[in-house]
């Protein structure tokens, strides 16, 4: 886009949302402030409605706990780490970096005394990560406004907030979501460059910052970011917008130096082996040795036909907004500059057989930014023709539908953490034993679906998660425990009595029975939700019986984890 076209486009966008500049500036600022609050609000809603974690997040959340609990042990470090840190007993198939956990623990440490229990502290740690990702998206919004105008920036927030995966996982301690912060800020700088004069001194600085951040993210958190870095660099070289000598080489050297110094120094310390570069080990193990294929393979087109539509969620984004933006004379050049490197990144990464949506999540803000340009265009031209009015109404309706869908998926997802729910229920049932010496064994499914060290809130209790199959066949091993969280109670040796059964979602049923709960809530759900739950359940039962012929969508809940108590203890209490 030329500078003249850019300023013409910005002048048109000043008539955003029907508010003339002369009398709507203050109203617009208030609206923008409220709109900015939407992102952190949605992230925190997802966090509090689904407070537990899955096994993929466990390394970073356990590492953050251990650093907060034991600090960074500079004295007698090997002995302290070996005896107290979770990753020593459960190292995983490849080492992971501690850099993200160290940063989260460092930020959270001053506030640690404000929380009465460690499970509350876990929420704060995750909220810190979620709000950092929110801040990165805020920066992205202002780059979108620079490129496309106010209306596009507002639509960027609305489209981004209505996407389930980015909002839900923004606070989850996956390595990808640490990298997401850096890649989003890098993308913000690149959008600023691509929408303005390429050779200005400010543009050169922004390009360098973007290259620094992408290099650091790839070196520390996720090696696939290197493909995105290569795609962006090659595209800028092809467009003759970047200097190899003055920009690429200095940025690459400095970014790699910062990234390697951070990860090698920190991770060699915690893994007790020098040199340790976790992302290189992971890249070698998963890509060069091809071990990632053991976790499943997908077709070449999976990212384009499955992952992207799921991540973007709103069907108007891929079907209408992005094609319109790419073909537009006003914003087409900038939109193509933004999207082509990401399309190349996804295409190249599609050559690897093992695929997961989180491997391409870094591209979602770029796709959303381009889509928001078309959404803003529909809005400012909504009164000019029936076509623009219709497209604008479709955007509004599809965005509302995306919000509703996202909340629905959040609800079903919150029922998928029986491990965290089981341990929470055990603590609720045993308040009288809070200060006693109680031993609890937590099975594999419990540890994979919500149990973390943050959830082990009783200081006098002993929590065990032994995995060794030979040990689990020893009857004497089981005699030491008072309670067991088991997915298969028949495998627990000894005399045990089930005191509770925790169910998890197994699908959706359209024909729930009279006994089924059409809206089950986790036991830790906010009390304010109980009233709406009772009202919804009552209305649903009436409609199911008198209107829909017995049909009504409801979660299908199956038993997942049994809370077992040693029978001798029960008999002594009675």
């Amino acid at each position: 886009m030329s500078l003249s076209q850019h300023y013409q486009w910005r002048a048109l966008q000043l008539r955003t949302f029907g508010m003339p500049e002369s009398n709507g500036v203050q109203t617009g600022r208030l609206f923008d402030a409220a709109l900015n609050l939407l992102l952190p609000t949605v992230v925190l809603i997802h966090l509090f409605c689904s407070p537990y974690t899955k096994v993929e997040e466990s390394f970073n959340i356990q590492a953050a706990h251990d650093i907060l609990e034991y600090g960074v042990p500079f004295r007698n470090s090997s002995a302290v780490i070996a005896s107290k840190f979770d990753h020593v007993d459960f190292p995983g198939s490849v080492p992971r970096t501690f850099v993200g956990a160290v940063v989260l623990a460092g930020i959270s440490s001053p506030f640690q005394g404000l929380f009465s229990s460690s499970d509350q502290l876990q929420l704060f740690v995750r909220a810190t990560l979620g709000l950092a990702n929110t801040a990165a998206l805020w920066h992205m919004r202002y780059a979108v406004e620079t490129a496309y105008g106010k209306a596009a920036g507002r639509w960027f927030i609305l489209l981004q907030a209505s996407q389930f995966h980015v909002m839900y996982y923004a606070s989850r301690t996956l390595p990808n979501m640490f990298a997401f912060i850096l890649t989003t800020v890098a993308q913000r700088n690149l959008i600023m460059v691509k929408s303005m004069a390429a050779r200005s001194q400010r543009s050169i600085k922004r390009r360098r910052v973007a290259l620094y951040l992408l290099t650091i993210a790839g070196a520390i958190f996720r090696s696939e970011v290197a493909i995105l870095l290569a795609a962006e660099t090659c595209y800028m070289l092809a467009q003759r917008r970047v200097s190899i000598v003055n920009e690429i080489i200095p940025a690459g050297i400095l970014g790699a130096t910062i990234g390697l110094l951070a990860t090698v120094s920190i991770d060699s310390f915690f893994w007790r082996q020098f040199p340790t570069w976790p992302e290189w080990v992971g890249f070698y193990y998963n890509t060069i040795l091809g071990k990632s294929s053991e976790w499943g393979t997908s077709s070449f087109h999976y990212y384009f036909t499955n992952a992207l539509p799921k991540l973007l969620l709103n069907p108007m984004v891929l079907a209408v907004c992005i094609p319109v933006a790419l073909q537009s004379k006003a914003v087409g050049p900038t939109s193509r500059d933004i999207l082509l490197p990401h399309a190349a990144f996804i295409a190249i990464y599609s050559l690897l057989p093992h695929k997961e949506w989180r491997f391409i999540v870094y591209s979602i803000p770029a796709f959303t930014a381009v889509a928001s340009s078309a959404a803003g265009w529909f809005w400012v031209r909504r009164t000019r023709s029936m076509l623009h009015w219709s497209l604008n109404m479709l955007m509004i309706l599809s965005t509302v539908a995306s919000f509703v869908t996202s909340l629905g998926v959040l609800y079903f997802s919150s029922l998928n953490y029986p491990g965290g729910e089981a341990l929470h229920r055990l603590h609720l049932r045993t308040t009288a034993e809070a200060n006693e010496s109680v031993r609890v064994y937590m099975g594999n499914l419990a540890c994979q679906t919500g149990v973390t060290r943050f959830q082990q809130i009783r200081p006098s209790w002993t929590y065990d998660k032994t995995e060794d199959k030979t040990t689990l066949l020893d009857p004497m091993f089981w005699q030491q425990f008072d309670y067991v969280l088991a997915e298969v109670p028949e495998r627990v040796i000894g005399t045990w009595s089930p005191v509770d059964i925790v169910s998890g979602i197994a699908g959706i049923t359209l024909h729930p029975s009279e006994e089924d709960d059409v809206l089950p809530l986790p036991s830790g759900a906010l009390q304010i939700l109980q009233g709406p739950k009772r009202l919804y359940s009552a209305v649903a039962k009436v409609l199911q019986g008198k209107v829909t012929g017995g049909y009504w969508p409801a979660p299908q809940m199956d038993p997942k984890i049994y809370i077992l108590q040693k029978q001798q203890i029960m008999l002594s209490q009675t």
Side-chain angles (χ1 to χ4, degrees):
M1 183 193 301
S2 67
L3 283 177
S4 60
Q5 288 177 316
H6 172 75
Y7 290 122
Q8 289 173 6
W9 173 252
R10 291 296 305 275
L12 176 62
Q13 294 281 29
L14 285 174
R15 298 192 294 273
T16 303
F17 287 83
M19 294 180 292
E21 188 178 13
S22 58
N23 57 15
V25 172
Q26 189 63 33
T27 303
R29 288 175 180 172
L30 292 174
F31 180 80
D32 285 330
L35 198 60
N36 271 341
L37 290 177
L38 183 62
L39 283 178
T41 300
V42 173
V43 167
L44 293 178
I45 287 174
H46 283 74
L47 167 61
F48 286 108
C49 289
S50 187
Y52 303 121
T53 60
K54 280 287 185 71
V55 63
E56 296 89 349
E57 309 154 48
S58 64
F59 174 81
N60 280 300
I61 201 69
Q62 303 284 43
H65 169 274
D66 293 343
I67 296 168
L68 284 167
E69 181 71 16
Y70 309 115
V72 179
F74 292 109
R75 291 186 177 182
N76 199 21
S77 59
S78 293
V80 173
I81 291 172
S83 62
K84 296 183 180 296
F85 278 61
D86 184 82
H87 71 284
V88 176
D89 294 324
F90 303 95
S93 55
V94 294
R96 291 294 185 187
T97 182
F98 273 83
V99 173
V102 167
V103 173
L104 279 186
I107 296 173
S108 304
S109 180
F111 306 94
Q112 194 170 356
L114 300 177
F115 303 97
S116 59
S117 63
S118 58
D119 57 342
Q120 297 175 4
L121 181 59
Q122 175 175 304
L123 291 177
F124 183 81
V125 169
R126 286 186 50 200
T128 301
L129 176 61
L131 294 178
N133 276 305
T134 295
L137 291 170
W138 277 343
H139 276 75
M140 185 79 162
R141 173 200 175 162
Y142 293 115
V144 172
E145 289 187 356
T146 298
Y148 300 121
K150 276 282 187 183
R154 289 166 174 168
W155 272 107
F156 175 78
I157 294 292
L158 291 171
L159 293 175
Q160 194 70 71
S162 63
Q163 295 167 3
F164 170 75
H165 285 82
V166 172
M167 295 294 99
Y168 185 76
Y169 283 90
S171 67
R172 297 190 169 272
T173 52
L174 292 166
N176 311 77
M177 299 319 296
F178 288 100
F180 186 85
I181 301 170
L182 301 179
T183 59
T184 302
V185 176
Q187 188 59 41
R188 176 257 187 191
N189 282 277
L190 290 174
I191 290 177
M192 297 286 284
V193 169
K194 292 172 182 179
S195 61
M196 302 296 285
R199 289 297 177 184
S200 69
Q201 198 62 33
R202 180 174 292 183
S203 293
I204 293 173
K205 290 181 179 179
R206 284 172 175 157
R207 273 196 299 271
R208 285 180 177 174
V209 170
L211 296 176
Y212 294 152
L213 294 175
L214 291 174
T215 304
I216 293 170
I220 297 177
F221 295 113
R222 291 299 306 182
S223 58
E224 66 262 17
V225 177
I227 302 176
L228 178 57
L229 170 64
E232 288 282 9
T233 303
C234 291
Y235 186 80
M236 287 188 289
L237 281 172
Q239 297 289 311
R240 297 181 179 179
R241 293 182 175 178
V242 65
S243 167
I244 295 178
V245 175
N246 296 326
E247 297 177 61
I248 295 177
I249 293 178
I253 292 175
L254 183 59
T257 301
I258 294 172
L260 289 176
L261 282 176
T263 184
V264 173
S265 60
I266 291 174
D267 293 316
S268 296
F269 176 84
F270 282 103
W271 287 102
R272 300 175 297 151
Q273 181 179 347
F274 183 85
T276 297
W277 180 12
E279 269 314 293
W280 165 252
V281 177
F283 172 78
Y284 181 82
Y285 180 86
N286 290 313
T287 304
I288 297 178
L289 296 182
K291 295 292 185 179
S292 63
S293 298
E294 296 176 3
W295 300 98
T297 61
S298 301
S299 60
F300 175 83
H301 57 78
Y302 169 82
Y303 286 135
F304 292 101
T305 59
N306 186 299
L308 273 177
K310 182 166 62 176
L311 288 166
L312 295 169
L313 191 59
N314 191 326
M316 286 287 289
V317 169
L318 277 176
V320 177
C321 291
I322 290 178
V324 168
L326 294 176
Q327 294 299 319
S328 168
K329 291 182 179 179
V331 300
T334 300
S335 298
R336 291 191 288 273
D337 282 348
I338 293 171
L339 273 197
L340 284 176
H342 287 272
F345 157 64
I346 296 172
I348 294 169
Y349 206 55
S350 295
L351 296 174
L352 294 179
H354 177 63
K355 298 177 177 65
E356 296 183 37
W357 64 263
R358 59 192 177 97
F359 297 158
I360 64 163
V361 70
Y362 326 107
S363 294
I364 296 307
F367 279 85
T368 306
V370 172
S372 68
S373 71
W377 179 254
F378 299 153
W379 178 267
V380 298
R381 297 176 68 87
R382 66 193 182 279
T383 59
R384 296 194 178 186
S385 71
M386 181 58 68
L387 175 61
H388 286 97
W389 183 88
S390 300
L391 289 171
N392 186 67
M393 290 305 299
L394 284 173
M395 281 303 307
I396 294 172
L397 294 174
S398 64
T399 303
V400 171
S402 295
F403 272 109
V404 173
T405 302
S406 184
L407 290 175
V409 178
L410 168 62
Y411 167 67
F412 286 107
S413 298
S414 70
L415 304 176
N416 204 23
Y417 297 84
E421 175 74 3
L423 189 57
H424 178 73
R425 287 195 199 178
L426 176 61
H427 290 145
L428 291 178
R429 294 181 63 90
T430 56
T431 53
E433 303 173 61
N435 297 318
E436 298 179 12
S437 180
V438 174
R439 298 184 67 88
V440 181
Y441 175 76
M442 305 171 297
N444 184 55
L445 182 61
C447 293
Q448 289 191 13
T449 57
V451 169
T452 68
R453 288 191 168 191
F454 281 109
Q455 304 298 321
Q456 300 170 15
I457 61 175
R458 301 278 171 84
S460 61
W461 286 25
T462 300
Y463 300 86
D464 189 286
K465 50 183 182 179
T466 299
E467 292 182 330
D468 183 71
K469 293 181 179 180
T470 303
T471 303
L472 297 178
L473 294 175
D474 182 2
M476 295 304 298
F477 170 78
W478 296 101
Q479 290 304 306
Q480 64 181 305
F481 297 110
D482 303 294
Y483 295 95
V484 172
L485 309 182
E487 57 265 35
V488 184
E490 294 80 9
R491 295 181 182 175
V492 180
I493 301 172
T495 305
W496 300 84
S497 176
V499 295
D500 201 352
I501 300 174
V502 179
S503 296
I505 190 166
I508 300 175
T509 179
L510 296 178
H511 203 286
S513 66
E514 285 294 323
E515 295 76 22
D516 288 335
D517 189 350
V518 296
L519 193 67
L521 293 176
S523 59
L526 297 176
Q527 190 62 34
I528 195 174
L529 298 176
Q530 298 301 325
K533 168 190 164 63
R534 288 191 291 269
L535 176 61
Y536 175 86
S537 299
V539 172
K541 290 295 183 183
V542 171
L543 294 176
Q544 182 187 0
K546 297 184 178 181
V547 178
T548 65
Y551 291 94
W552 194 264
Q556 180 180 328
M557 306 294 288
D558 287 350
K560 297 292 184 180
I561 295 178
Y562 296 79
I563 303 177
L564 307 177
Q565 183 180 21
K566 190 181 291 184
Q567 196 170 30
Q568 295 93 315
I569 297 178
M570 281 190 65
L571 292 174
S572 65
Q573 290 177 343
T574 57

